[in-house]
Amino acid sequence: MLFGTREGEMQVMTEGPCRSRLAFAPTQDSTEPLCLDRLRRVREPVSRSKAGVQGKVADVISGRSRHAESRNELQAFRVLLATAHADGWQEQPFTLEYHHEGKKRRYTPDLLVAWGTHRTVVEIKPDAEADLPENRARFELIRELLAEHGYHFRVWKSSEICSEPRLTNAGLVLRYRCVEIPAPKRERIQRAFSSMAESRLCTFCETSGIAVQSVLRLVLEGTLHIDWWEPLTPDSRVSTTPIGRQVWPCPVLGSYFS
């Protein structure tokens, strides 16, 4: 069960006959159940002296910055922000505490991503590390333990994160995350797409008088869609429904699969 705590204490969750427990970072004084949008990191980001690559990614939709501790995390956050359209996500959301082979173990995942009630815990790893036999065995155990709490688990390999042209497309679309779209312009776009499900980007912009920046801003929101697996060009397709291969993280797969 989830309990409110005094400031400075950890919030602990156990559900049923679990072999582990989840420890969340403290929030403001509350006796209400913990919500995803109130989660915080369970520890401070690794300092620059300890990490080879470090940086922040602006999450305009959520009104905050995401602090990455590695190049893989930086790229993963960009892909997640551009393509996932998740209901919420949090870096290092909790610590999983469990016993294995007579010793107390602790595991802190990189991400928790949610689409509705479907919540996926994510470990970001270079391919070589992810494929080590000892890590594969450890992650399988973690998968089982998290399932007891109702969470899905996946290892997100660097080769998957950096797959092209999705990674480049994500970077291009994120350039327009600060574009503001007034309500009248949104209505114009909606009316323009009311008679068609799909159009070429250049064709739509020329006939509607809507700037490319506004269209790609709506792609970030999930109102419009592009094929992330085709290079983004003026001739790219824009649709009101998802098109192209639906590869995690995306709301179509995220709603049903881990």
Side-chain angles (χ1 to χ4, degrees):
M1 188 173 181
L2 207 56
F3 299 95
T5 62
R6 295 187 301 274
E7 186 174 358
E9 294 181 348
M10 294 297 286
Q11 290 178 306
V12 176
M13 181 181 75
T14 58
E15 295 286 351
C18 296
R19 296 171 289 164
S20 61
R21 71 174 192 168
L22 304 180
F24 293 82
T27 58
Q28 296 179 349
D29 293 352
S30 175
T31 57
E32 299 178 357
L34 195 66
C35 298
L36 182 61
D37 59 3
R38 292 173 52 212
L39 289 183
R40 294 167 43 195
R41 301 178 71 112
V42 294
R43 65 172 177 79
E44 292 299 316
V46 175
S47 66
R48 188 172 298 276
S49 62
K50 295 180 181 179
V53 176
Q54 189 183 62
K56 294 181 179 180
V57 179
D59 182 352
V60 175
I61 301 297
S62 298
R64 53 174 294 193
S65 292
R66 305 288 185 167
H67 198 134
E69 297 180 343
S70 69
R71 184 179 301 277
N72 282 337
E73 285 193 4
L74 275 172
Q75 295 169 330
F77 291 0
R78 288 169 182 150
V79 171
L80 194 60
L81 285 169
T83 71
H85 309 138
D87 293 320
W89 60 284
Q90 173 62 48
E91 318 95 285
Q92 299 179 349
F94 57 76
T95 297
L96 176 69
E97 301 176 352
Y98 62 99
H99 285 81
H100 182 60
E101 296 180 343
K103 295 182 180 180
K104 184 176 181 179
R105 314 280 184 173
R106 294 168 61 90
Y107 167 69
T108 301
D110 292 314
L111 294 171
L112 172 60
V113 186
W115 291 269
T117 59
H118 182 103
R119 299 190 173 187
T120 298
V121 175
V122 183
E123 176 69 21
I124 297 171
K125 271 283 183 282
D127 289 45
E129 292 185 28
D131 293 334
L132 290 174
E134 57 268 31
N135 281 341
R136 291 168 65 94
R138 177 171 176 253
F139 291 146
E140 187 55 38
L141 174 59
I142 288 171
R143 184 190 308 277
E144 295 175 3
L145 295 174
L146 287 171
E148 294 175 357
H149 293 279
Y151 291 85
H152 300 266
F153 177 76
R154 83 159 40 237
V155 177
W156 200 9
K157 298 181 181 180
S158 57
S159 61
E160 298 170 325
I161 295 168
C162 299
S163 293
E164 294 288 3
R166 182 179 65 178
L167 181 62
T168 296
N169 289 343
L172 291 173
V173 173
L174 284 172
R175 293 178 183 178
Y176 306 111
R177 63 191 134 191
C178 293
V179 172
E180 296 184 3
I181 307 178
K185 185 178 291 187
R186 288 179 180 270
E187 291 180 7
R188 284 175 56 195
I189 296 174
Q190 184 176 4
R191 287 198 304 269
F193 271 101
S194 63
S195 60
M196 59 181 177
E198 183 178 302
S199 175
R200 298 291 176 178
L201 180 60
C202 59
T203 302
F204 175 77
C205 292
E206 290 173 358
T207 57
S208 67
I210 301 295
V212 170
Q213 295 92 324
S214 296
V215 175
L216 295 182
R217 179 62 172 82
L218 292 180
V219 169
L220 280 178
E221 295 180 10
T223 303
L224 298 175
H225 302 269
I226 61 173
D227 186 344
W228 294 101
W229 299 102
E230 293 290 338
L232 181 57
T233 70
D235 200 41
S236 293
R237 293 178 296 157
V238 181
S239 173
T240 55
T241 58
I243 54 177
R245 289 191 294 135
Q246 301 301 301
V247 179
W248 199 95
C250 62
V252 173
L253 288 181
S255 300
Y256 307 105
F257 302 105
S258 63

